[in-house]
């Protein structure tokens, strides 16, 4: 079964707004954009802030990695 979702929208100031819109549109997931400050690794470490609202709303997340990620770069600082 195909499931449809939505990206995080920059015009929504909080995750709750994205979740609300996702549910209103009948979508299954939200793609968290790792380019946005609120979805950086240090923010995602506080997983309970993401898990509980998703579970209550019966949605899930996918992750859109930073476009600058280059796992094949010779420079280990860039490679991550």
């Amino acid at each position: 079964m195909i499931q449809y979702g939505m990206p995080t929208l920059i015009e929504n100031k909080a995750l709750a707004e994205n979740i609300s819109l996702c549910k209103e549109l009948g979508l299954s997931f939200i793609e968290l954009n790792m380019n946005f400050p609120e979805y950086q690794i240090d923010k995602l470490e506080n997983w309970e802030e993401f898990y509980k609202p998703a579970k209550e709303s019966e949605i899930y997340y996918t992750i859109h990695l930073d476009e600058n990620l280059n796992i094949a770069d010779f420079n280990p600082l860039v490679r991550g």
Side-chain angles (χ1 to χ4, degrees):
M1 174 166 92
I2 295 176
Q3 295 184 340
Y4 295 96
M6 60 177 264
T8 47
L9 301 175
I10 198 164
E11 58 269 20
N12 289 342
K13 302 300 181 205
L15 181 61
E17 292 178 58
N18 282 299
I19 291 173
S20 178
L21 180 59
C22 183
K23 291 304 292 181
E24 180 182 325
L25 297 173
L27 302 173
S28 300
F29 65 89
I30 297 173
E31 178 187 47
L32 302 179
N33 191 327
M34 301 288 294
N35 292 336
F36 293 178
E38 59 268 28
Y39 305 115
Q40 297 291 303
I41 292 293
D42 61 322
K43 302 291 193 276
L44 295 177
E45 288 175 347
N46 197 359
W47 61 270
E48 290 175 338
E49 290 182 17
F50 293 88
Y51 178 78
K52 187 176 179 182
K55 184 173 180 167
E56 289 172 353
S57 300
E58 299 178 330
I59 64 160
Y60 61 94
Y61 304 112
T62 61
I63 293 180
H64 178 95
L65 294 175
D66 190 325
E67 286 87 13
N68 297 318
L69 178 69
N70 183 358
I71 59 172
D73 197 292
F74 291 111
N75 182 338
L77 297 175
V78 173
R79 188 172 52 236

